[in-house]
Amino acid sequence: MELLEKLNIKDSLLSFRFRKRVLALADSFIVFTAGLISHTIFYGFNIYMLPAVDVLMGFIFDAVFAFGGLLLFGCYNKLWRYFKPRDYLDCIKGLLVGLGLAVYFFSRFKGYLPLRYATVHFVISCIGVCGFRYLFKGVFITLVNTGRNMAKQKKTLIVGAGRSCRLLLEDMFASENSKDVNNDNPGSEFLPVCIVDDDRTKLGMRIKGVEVQGTTGDIPKLCELLKIELIIFAIPSCPVVDRQKILNLCTKTNLPIKVLPYIGDILENSVSMVRKMQDIKVEDLLGREPIKFDNQDIRDFIENKVCMVTGGGGSIGSELVRQIAKYNPKQVVIVDIYENNAYEIQQELVMEYGDKLNLVTLIASVRDYFRMNQIFKKYAPDLIFHAAAHKHVPLMENSPMEAIKNNVIGTFNMATLAHIHHVPKFVMISTDKAVNPTNVMGASKRCCEMIVQYMAQQNGNHTDFVTTRFGNVLGSNGSVIPLFKRQIEQGKPVTVTHPDIIRYFMTIPEAVSLVMEAASIAHGGEIFVLDMGQPVKIVTLAENIIRMYGKVPYKDVEIKFTGLRPGEKIKEELLMSEEGLQSTKNKLIFIGKQLQIDTDKFIQQLSALKQAAAENDDAVAIRALHEIVPTFTTPEEFNKTIMMKAV
């Protein structure tokens, strides 16, 4: 009980509303006392004397009107610890107006009041009111916060002076003043110092006592001047182009950055704004709107269907399984050769859905035609999402046979079985590296695309064969971003292959949503391509990730250029020159024109490629891959052309 009483007293002292009341009482007392001192001076020198009742009435007039003047000039809407010279000037203006009105009304009621007396009273009141605030800033706050660990609080700059900022500050102050004995309040970690907003009409205004001190262009200057330790981006509805521009500016301060999620996420439930804040993610800097998909189309497509996902334990495959599970499938069949990944996604879904999801997890290889045929017969899938593939470019350059066996032969097995078993829809996951490939992995995936188009051309086809093609996926296995993060966390240089290398990026959920929507609208033979916005320079990406850790690129963390890896392009592409584009109802998804495959020639070349792979003859197999994929070229040739165009 005694502990709770102490906590209640401390919480009252720390309450901003309580402190405003204390300050108002203190101001009234100071003005009253200043009047008493002024009267004593004039009385002592026999300059001016009034009856005691009139003196008391004058003091009351002074105190009341002075409080009104200070209130009028906003002297009680400011966090005292951040009082600046301009704020003291507001106090002086408030006292001048308030005491001036007091003198005027007192004179009207009681007659003449000497100007000398009013002037002395005003000067003493100014000294008292401003002096109290100055002393409070230096002494009283320290006393109030005795026993409070201020070291944990980070001086914070907030970007955006809108409603989200107001709610955020309310949460921060509520957390700061909370009676939580365990001190488990995230808001108490932040000390809001200033706000910036590009609406110049808001400059100088205060939100919950925190001043809007500049625009976003002033962020670096204010961070240095005010010793800011953390930036919070509080404009959830900010257009993506502006969001990217502001966040890029914030990253250059080399300070940690937190962001409020998109406005729909904020309104979704009643969790406090402080708890909704997230660390800045790389995708926040990509400069592209999050891609929205038609969930109803996808639900109609998935619901009550048997969905098979090959490579279901991988980055894309596991996210496919997660999203499929949301749409009430009849059954989900995960097929993967790597048991650890398969086990992880299996356990995740069991924990999430329990018996509500009919889940089957199988360890099998798409290379094994007879094992896969057995699975097709037993589970009779309605939809196949073929994500199983080797995707690591340098590793596949060293082991080209594995890329051909797993990617090409595996895809041919799956597509053939889908055709034989009349599976209604087969969706193959491809990559931008399949366009004008310069490496074995890319060429093998282009060959996979050709297989899907070849199957789509077969007579009497009961299966819609479709390909989805997109760029690099943030956070996927083998992605450059987890590598950068590990290097920074271990204090090692961040390695980038080439200063001019650029890539397209998207998030894993976006990639998977593309696959599912493409599948829902496909009629067979299409290659779906995503408009991924502007490509990103990898070195810029590395610099931003370093800044996200609060470090300075090239100073705190070295960026080392290691040279292009085997088969690596300077620039990736999403569309081949012979492919036209057809729009869909989703403005960011396009359909590449169907290409006619010479079936007799293609099947002969594919047979030769399969034979070379079976014999593990690298030279013959790569030669066969060049023949079947005529756009397969060397990276040196491709990069030379790109660099010449850039000059």
Side-chain angles (χ1 to χ4, degrees):
M1 191 69 182
E2 186 179 344
L3 175 62
L4 288 174
E5 287 176 4
K6 286 181 180 178
L7 285 169
N8 288 335
I9 293 169
K10 183 179 177 184
D11 291 333
S12 296
L13 286 171
L14 294 175
S15 166
F16 185 47
R17 186 177 298 175
F18 175 79
R19 285 179 285 178
K20 287 197 291 186
R21 291 170 182 168
V22 169
L23 187 57
L25 288 172
D27 288 339
S28 299
F29 176 76
I30 289 167
V31 172
F32 190 95
T33 305
L36 184 61
I37 294 169
S38 302
H39 180 76
T40 302
I41 292 171
F42 280 80
Y43 182 81
F45 287 97
N46 292 316
I47 297 172
Y48 176 68
M49 288 177 284
L50 277 177
V53 174
D54 290 348
V55 171
L56 182 61
M57 183 180 293
F59 292 168
I60 293 171
F61 263 66
D62 291 340
V64 170
F65 278 96
F67 167 73
L70 291 168
L71 188 65
L72 179 67
F73 280 85
C75 298
Y76 301 114
N77 297 328
K78 303 167 186 179
L79 287 174
W80 307 336
R81 66 180 68 133
Y82 300 128
F83 252 65
K84 299 178 181 64
R86 188 172 65 189
D87 300 320
Y88 292 109
L89 185 62
D90 286 341
C91 292
I92 294 170
K93 290 176 184 176
L95 288 170
L96 182 63
V97 170
L99 293 176
L101 289 171
V103 169
Y104 171 77
F105 283 108
F106 185 82
S107 298
R108 292 290 300 269
F109 280 106
K110 292 295 179 179
Y112 175 72
L113 186 69
L115 184 61
R116 287 175 296 174
Y117 167 79
T119 302
V120 171
H121 187 195
F122 170 70
V123 171
I124 295 174
S125 296
C126 287
I127 293 171
V129 168
C130 294
F132 179 78
R133 280 162 169 74
Y134 182 79
L135 289 173
F136 177 86
K137 183 178 178 181
V139 178
F140 189 66
I141 285 183
T142 305
L143 294 175
V144 170
N145 289 300
T146 299
R148 181 180 179 185
N149 188 1
M150 295 293 290
K152 288 184 178 178
Q153 290 193 304
K154 294 180 179 178
K155 289 185 177 180
T156 301
L157 178 147
I158 299 174
V159 181
R163 181 166 174 260
S164 296
C165 173
R166 186 177 296 276
L167 293 172
L168 182 64
L169 287 170
E170 284 177 2
D171 272 353
M172 284 182 177
F173 295 138
S175 296
E176 181 179 326
N177 301 329
S178 171
K179 300 177 178 62
D180 188 348
V181 177
N182 296 321
N183 194 30
D184 186 26
N185 291 302
S188 61
E189 300 173 14
F190 311 108
L191 197 63
V193 173
C194 73
I195 303 168
V196 297
D197 196 289
D198 284 333
D199 183 352
R200 293 187 175 275
T201 63
K202 294 181 179 179
L203 293 178
M205 73 178 286
R206 292 178 180 272
I207 301 175
K208 299 298 176 181
V210 185
E211 185 180 357
V212 180
Q213 294 192 29
T215 64
T216 55
D218 298 318
I219 289 173
K221 179 178 70 177
L222 288 170
C223 287
E224 185 176 354
L225 182 67
L226 300 174
K227 305 285 191 290
I228 299 297
E229 299 170 278
L230 176 77
I231 298 173
I232 297 176
F233 183 84
I235 320 176
S237 56
C238 182
V240 166
V241 174
D242 295 335
R243 182 186 184 92
Q244 180 201 20
K245 178 183 172 184
I246 295 169
L247 287 174
N248 277 326
L249 189 62
C250 291
T251 61
K252 290 177 182 175
T253 64
N254 302 311
L255 293 171
I257 304 166
K258 289 188 176 291
V259 297
L260 287 176
Y262 288 95
I263 196 70
D265 298 330
I266 289 177
L267 299 175
E268 191 176 310
N269 53 53
S270 59
V271 178
S272 75
M273 297 282 279
V274 172
R275 292 187 185 275
K276 283 180 177 289
M277 286 192 306
Q278 306 164 347
D279 291 330
I280 185 175
K281 302 190 190 100
V282 179
E283 47 264 42
D284 291 320
L285 305 172
L286 293 184
R288 177 169 49 72
E289 292 280 359
I291 297 163
K292 297 178 175 61
F293 296 88
D294 190 333
N295 290 335
Q296 188 55 50
D297 276 0
I298 296 173
R299 176 174 293 280
D300 294 342
F301 175 59
I302 297 293
E303 196 167 28
N304 294 320
K305 304 279 178 54
V306 177
C307 302
M308 178 189 291
V309 182
T310 67
S315 306
I316 298 295
S318 61
E319 181 63 21
L320 267 167
V321 172
R322 288 185 194 96
Q323 292 200 29
I324 289 169
K326 295 176 184 177
Y327 295 107
N328 192 32
K330 181 178 179 182
Q331 187 177 53
V332 178
V333 181
I334 296 173
V335 177
D336 204 300
I337 191 60
Y338 184 39
E339 59 185 12
N340 291 352
N341 280 351
Y343 177 77
E344 283 180 17
I345 187 61
Q346 178 198 50
Q347 293 307 303
E348 179 186 326
L349 293 172
V350 167
M351 289 175 65
E352 178 77 17
Y353 296 97
D355 295 335
K356 295 179 183 177
L357 179 66
N358 184 353
L359 178 67
V360 176
T361 306
L362 303 172
I363 304 303
S365 172
V366 294
R367 299 181 184 191
D368 189 336
Y369 178 89
F370 298 103
R371 167 70 171 135
M372 293 310 302
N373 186 44
Q374 182 185 53
I375 292 170
F376 272 74
K377 284 181 179 178
K378 183 172 182 178
Y379 296 102
D382 300 299
L383 307 171
I384 296 174
F385 296 92
H386 179 48
H390 287 321
K391 306 181 189 77
H392 198 282
V393 171
L395 291 182
M396 292 305 100
E397 289 298 289
N398 292 331
S399 305
M401 293 304 96
E402 298 306 307
I404 294 169
K405 292 174 185 175
N406 200 61
N407 297 357
V408 179
I409 307 306
T411 298
F412 186 75
N413 287 344
M414 291 299 298
T416 301
L417 289 167
H419 177 73
I420 291 171
H421 290 275
H422 296 176
V423 175
K425 195 150 290 189
F426 177 93
V427 185
M428 201 271 291
I429 315 298
S430 191
T431 168
D432 56 357
K433 293 175 179 60
V435 180
N436 299 319
T438 61
N439 50 68
V440 170
M441 195 285 286
S444 70
K445 292 300 285 184
R446 177 55 188 156
C447 191
C448 293
E449 292 182 354
M450 295 170 75
I451 288 170
V452 172
Q453 290 182 311
Y454 164 80
M455 296 302 299
Q457 292 175 202
Q458 299 305 302
N459 293 327
N461 209 342
H462 294 85
T463 304
D464 292 335
F465 288 94
V466 58
T467 297
T468 56
R469 184 195 291 163
F470 43 80
N472 293 270
V473 180
L474 292 170
S476 64
N477 297 332
S479 167
V480 71
I481 291 164
L483 173 63
F484 286 167
K485 289 182 175 180
R486 282 197 304 273
Q487 289 171 333
I488 295 166
E489 288 164 4
Q490 294 173 15
K492 296 178 179 177
V494 169
T495 55
V496 178
T497 59
H498 192 282
D500 296 318
I501 196 165
I502 61 174
R503 291 290 182 266
Y504 292 93
F505 282 98
M506 66 190 307
T507 66
I508 293 176
E510 283 178 329
V512 167
S513 296
L514 165 66
V515 170
M516 295 176 72
E517 179 154 335
S520 70
I521 63 177
H523 299 293
E526 304 99 327
I527 295 180
F528 286 87
V529 180
L530 175 65
D531 178 359
M532 299 181 66
Q534 294 300 312
V536 178
K537 285 189 81 169
I538 299 297
V539 68
T540 303
L541 191 63
E543 290 167 354
N544 283 333
I545 294 173
I546 291 168
R547 291 189 185 105
M548 283 164 51
Y549 278 85
K551 299 180 184 295
V552 182
Y554 307 105
K555 181 181 176 184
D556 298 328
V557 179
E558 180 188 355
I559 296 180
K560 186 182 291 185
F561 297 103
T562 57
L564 291 172
R565 299 174 299 176
E568 191 169 37
K569 285 181 176 181
I570 288 281
K571 176 185 177 182
E572 297 292 0
E573 305 162 279
L574 287 169
L575 198 66
M576 295 176 60
S577 59
E578 67 267 23
E579 293 173 336
L581 279 182
Q582 178 187 340
S583 60
T584 68
K585 63 180 180 179
N586 187 320
K587 64 180 181 180
L588 295 178
I589 302 178
F590 298 89
I591 302 174
K593 184 176 65 177
Q594 294 187 36
L595 301 180
Q596 283 300 118
I597 302 292
D598 184 335
T599 54
D600 293 336
K601 180 180 177 182
F602 178 74
I603 206 67
Q604 288 175 6
Q605 291 174 331
L606 188 62
S607 178
L609 180 63
K610 183 177 180 181
Q611 184 62 35
E615 295 173 1
N616 292 314
D617 190 326
D618 283 0
V620 174
I622 291 173
R623 230 179 4 255
L625 197 55
H626 273 281
E627 287 179 14
I628 200 170
V629 181
T631 55
F632 184 13
T633 184
T634 65
E636 293 78 17
E637 216 174 318
F638 179 87
N639 292 331
K640 181 181 176 182
T641 304
I642 291 293
M643 296 304 287
M644 285 176 65
K645 287 181 181 178
V647 174

